[in-house]
Amino acid sequence: NAGVTQTPKFRVLKTGQSMTLLCAQDMNHEYMYWYRQDPGMGLRLIHYSVGEGTTAKGEVPDGYNVSRLKKQNFLLGLESAAPSQTSVYFCASSHRVINTEAFFGQGTRLTVV
Amino acid sequence: AQTVTQSQPEMSVQEAETVTLSCTYDTSENNYYLFWYKQPPSRQMILVIRQEAYKQQNATENRFSVNFQKAAKSFSLKISDSQLGDTAMYFCALMDSNYQLIWGAGTKLIIKP
């Protein structure tokens, strides 16, 4: 059981380049989330999805887009990377019931130069 | 807006001692859930303990317990008989009825041998 898998684990981008981060979960979870983690700021929600074909904005959505075409996958896109998007990105998923544990991927360290 | 505050950026204790990490939060909702997550140097986010707001009894998981004070909006984590493997960042999080997790900035806990 792989849980939540993020690819890639590391990436360096030049300012203005685009990329897509992939999150895949094999637990049949309805909810999926993308967070960014910056020093001293905890995790901040970028976008989330409560089901296939639906997405919603979180706390810091600007500069990012997402898609949930399949229940098991949640993609995070950066159309034109900026140095301010240098961060560690985490994907998480959880079951529909509100009090269940959120399972996290291993994180993606993205550096924009 | 809902907020979670962890006022201790860093703490250190000797192995086998007891340590308490503080967390306060603000929400207008009556039904919500609180979590403590641990993030070791491996970067993996691991659920430590959870508490449903409608339950008065404090949650306990082996050496980990919480002191949940709903009126004061306080949710502290107590680690008894601390072990070297407890060294990590600890995050307090609040989940609301919109299924969004709101995170504190984290407390870096160092267990000294």
Side-chain angles (χ1 to χ4, degrees):
Chain A
N1 189 340
V4 180
T5 304
Q6 289 181 233
T7 52
K9 290 184 170 48
F10 303 93
R11 185 71 185 268
V12 178
L13 284 179
K14 293 183 178 179
T15 298
Q17 285 185 321
S18 63
M19 78 163 294
T20 300
L21 281 66
L22 171 63
C23 177
Q25 54 95 4
D26 60 3
M27 295 171 284
N28 202 34
H29 285 167
E30 292 84 5
Y31 301 134
M32 297 188 75
Y33 311 83
W34 275 108
Y35 293 94
R36 60 178 289 172
Q37 184 179 28
D38 301 293
M41 298 187 74
L43 279 77
R44 292 183 293 169
L45 182 64
I46 304 171
H47 287 279
Y48 66 102
S49 169
V50 299
E52 181 179 326
T54 69
T55 62
K57 295 180 179 180
E59 181 185 358
V60 288
D62 294 342
Y64 305 95
N65 58 76
V66 290
S67 64
R68 183 103 181 263
L69 298 179
K70 294 183 179 180
K71 186 177 185 179
Q72 63 268 33
N73 296 336
F74 195 30
L75 279 63
L76 177 70
L78 286 74
E79 291 186 345
S80 180
S84 61
Q85 294 177 304
T86 294
S87 187
V88 178
Y89 292 84
F90 284 96
C91 176
S93 71
S94 66
H95 206 275
R96 184 188 303 275
V97 177
I98 193 171
N99 64 337
T100 59
E101 176 181 356
F103 291 82
F104 285 80
Q106 289 278 54
T108 297
R109 182 174 294 279
L110 174 66
T111 303
V112 183
V113 298
Chain B
Q2 300 176 107
T3 59
V4 176
T5 303
Q6 293 178 249
S7 58
Q8 304 151 314
E10 184 170 325
M11 297 184 70
S12 65
V13 297
Q14 294 294 136
E15 190 176 10
E17 288 184 346
T18 294
V19 60
T20 299
L21 309 183
S22 301
C23 173
T24 58
Y25 61 92
D26 189 24
T27 179
S28 58
E29 299 192 0
N30 194 47
N31 187 25
Y32 51 89
Y33 298 82
L34 295 161
F35 304 84
W36 278 99
Y37 278 84
K38 167 184 176 181
Q39 186 180 39
S42 67
R43 219 166 60 189
Q44 182 68 39
M45 295 291 286
I46 303 165
L47 178 67
V48 175
I49 199 165
R50 71 181 131 223
Q51 174 81 42
E52 292 89 341
Y54 62 86
K55 289 187 178 179
Q56 293 185 336
Q57 186 174 5
N58 290 325
T60 299
E61 289 286 343
N62 300 315
R63 297 183 296 108
F64 300 88
S65 61
V66 298
N67 183 4
F68 174 48
Q69 301 290 327
K70 190 172 183 178
K73 295 183 178 176
S74 171
F75 183 61
S76 61
L77 174 70
K78 185 172 83 171
I79 306 174
S80 304
D81 185 27
S82 58
Q83 301 174 359
L84 297 178
D86 295 333
T87 291
M89 285 290 293
Y90 286 80
F91 292 96
C92 178
L94 163 74
M95 179 174 277
D96 63 13
S97 57
N98 293 320
Y99 310 109
Q100 294 189 36
L101 276 170
I102 312 300
W103 297 81
T107 296
K108 183 177 182 179
L109 177 64
I110 300 170
I111 309 299
K112 297 180 288 187

